[in-house]
Amino acid sequence: QVRLVESGGGLVQAGGSLRLSCVASGSIFSINPMGWYRQAPGKQRELVADITTDGGTNYADSVKGRFAISRDNAKNTVYLQMNSLKPEDTAVYYCNIPRSDGRVRSSWGQGTQVTVSS
């Protein structure tokens, strides 16, 4: 059973930056792709970025050029560097193991709240 623990969220002004971390315990981290998701009030959870086992990345159009996903397999950790934050980035951010069909392989963790003020 995989345990996902997100951290690094907080309150930031528009244009600021945050770096989120996700530690995946109880899994073989290095053989899985990883993704960051977010859910804003009244909206469905959406995939923001993902990273393959060898470092390939993909981003939602809404964050492309502003966010960067990375991983450290030795630490079982995936990161999301968030720059030039906008109020519309406000959401609870989660990590998980993405599937090709859009679903995820693990249970959701508690997430970490990101709030961007204008």
Side-chain angles (χ1 to χ4, degrees):
Q1 189 172 1
V2 178
R3 183 172 67 93
L4 302 169
V5 181
E6 301 93 346
S7 63
L11 174 64
V12 65
Q13 292 183 334
S17 298
L18 287 171
R19 186 173 185 248
L20 308 184
S21 298
C22 169
V23 178
S25 301
S27 67
I28 306 175
F29 181 83
S30 63
I31 67 170
N32 290 307
M34 293 297 297
W36 280 99
Y37 302 75
R38 68 185 181 187
Q39 187 168 25
K43 299 184 68 177
Q44 296 278 14
R45 186 181 280 111
E46 64 174 342
L47 177 64
V48 174
D50 62 67
I51 184 167
T52 66
T53 56
D54 61 359
T57 59
N58 183 64
Y59 300 93
D61 288 342
S62 59
V63 307
K64 192 173 298 182
R66 299 188 298 119
F67 291 8
I69 188 171
S70 61
R71 65 192 298 160
D72 186 338
N73 290 341
K75 297 180 179 179
N76 286 358
T77 302
V78 62
Y79 304 95
L80 186 67
Q81 179 66 48
M82 309 166 67
N83 299 322
S84 301
L85 283 162
K86 304 175 180 179
E88 50 263 47
D89 295 319
T90 295
V92 179
Y93 284 72
Y94 305 85
C95 62
N96 215 306
I97 305 171
R99 292 159 50 110
S100 60
D101 62 2
R103 299 177 180 177
V104 296
R105 294 193 178 276
S106 299
S107 298
W108 297 104
Q110 294 300 303
T112 185
Q113 176 71 51
V114 172
T115 302
V116 184
S117 64
S118 59

XYZ file of all heavy atoms in Angstrom, residues 14 16 25 29 31 48 54-55 58 69 85 108:
91
model
N 0.351 36.843 -5.841
C 0.457 36.628 -7.277
C 1.846 37.017 -7.765
O 2.392 38.047 -7.374
C -0.608 37.424 -8.009
N 4.450 35.169 -7.137
C 5.392 34.496 -6.273
C 5.608 33.050 -6.649
O 5.078 32.557 -7.646
N 5.756 6.624 0.082
C 6.270 5.542 0.912
C 5.518 4.252 0.623
O 4.353 4.277 0.236
C 6.139 5.887 2.394
O 6.841 7.074 2.701
N 9.166 3.388 -5.951
C 8.998 4.702 -6.541
C 9.651 4.823 -7.910
O 9.078 5.400 -8.839
C 9.567 5.751 -5.579
C 9.433 7.163 -6.046
C 8.259 7.865 -5.845
C 10.491 7.797 -6.682
C 8.134 9.174 -6.265
C 10.381 9.101 -7.112
C 9.195 9.794 -6.903
N 10.167 2.982 -10.414
C 9.607 2.347 -11.607
C 8.251 2.921 -12.006
O 7.627 2.430 -12.948
C 9.494 0.828 -11.443
C 8.455 0.460 -10.380
C 10.852 0.220 -11.093
C 8.130 -1.017 -10.338
N -1.942 18.307 -13.449
C -1.172 19.512 -13.703
C 0.126 19.205 -14.435
O 0.502 19.902 -15.384
C -0.871 20.253 -12.383
C 0.047 21.441 -12.614
C -2.173 20.700 -11.730
N 12.158 8.115 -16.541
C 13.446 8.605 -17.024
C 13.503 10.122 -17.158
O 14.431 10.661 -17.762
C 13.821 7.943 -18.350
C 12.829 8.229 -19.457
O 11.830 8.925 -19.207
O 13.055 7.742 -20.585
N 12.513 10.808 -16.603
C 12.589 12.255 -16.523
C 11.815 13.041 -17.557
O 11.857 14.280 -17.538
N 5.422 16.404 -18.769
C 4.256 16.877 -19.486
C 3.505 17.834 -18.574
O 3.439 17.617 -17.362
C 3.353 15.704 -19.889
C 2.168 16.132 -20.702
O 2.318 16.638 -21.804
N 0.976 15.917 -20.152
N 8.112 20.063 -12.937
C 8.075 18.855 -12.131
C 9.430 18.163 -12.205
O 10.081 18.163 -13.254
C 6.937 17.919 -12.594
C 6.763 16.742 -11.636
C 7.159 17.444 -14.022
C 5.521 15.904 -11.930
N 3.009 32.528 -9.951
C 1.709 32.023 -9.525
C 0.606 33.044 -9.749
O 0.812 34.246 -9.602
C 1.762 31.612 -8.060
C 2.452 30.267 -7.815
C 2.856 30.132 -6.356
C 1.526 29.123 -8.222
N -5.688 8.756 -2.680
C -5.283 10.146 -2.536
C -4.812 10.444 -1.120
O -5.384 9.968 -0.143
C -6.441 11.075 -2.891
C -6.877 10.961 -4.316
C -7.993 10.335 -4.782
C -6.195 11.488 -5.458
N -8.060 10.436 -6.156
C -6.964 11.143 -6.596
C -5.018 12.215 -5.642
C -6.591 11.503 -7.891
C -4.643 12.572 -6.928
C -5.427 12.213 -8.030
